[in-house]
Amino acid sequence: DSVNPHEDSSGPKGGVFLHGSADKGLKAIYREVQAWKIDLNNVSAEISVLSKDNCWFKLQKPRKSYE
């Protein structure tokens, strides 16, 4: 899934959370993140995050903290 993220690090347990939308804004996303990866093989970097439920999300408009 691709999402437009909004960062929120004030969630329960002090974890890092992904907050954004998917499906052109029709679906809200709020998931705790356990890891992220950066693919530098393209013209612009592609950033993906792994949620605690083991789903990868490719960030379409990552915030500066992910970059």
Side-chain angles (χ1 to χ4, degrees):
D1 288 337
S2 296
V3 296
N4 295 323
H6 303 288
E7 183 180 338
D8 181 1
S9 61
S10 63
K13 304 175 200 158
V16 175
F17 285 74
L18 173 69
H19 178 196
S21 60
D23 298 331
K24 298 181 182 177
L26 298 175
K27 182 178 179 184
I29 302 288
Y30 187 78
R31 302 265 169 70
E32 188 171 5
V33 172
Q34 65 179 346
W36 56 85
K37 66 180 176 180
I38 302 172
D39 181 2
L40 300 175
N41 292 325
N42 299 314
V43 174
S44 61
E46 289 185 4
I47 302 172
S48 300
V49 295
L50 179 63
S51 66
K52 285 286 186 176
D53 54 352
N54 291 321
C55 293
W56 281 102
F57 294 91
K58 185 172 120 181
L59 305 183
Q60 290 181 342
K61 296 179 185 176
R63 297 250 176 156
K64 290 292 182 188
S65 60
Y66 281 104
E67 293 179 1

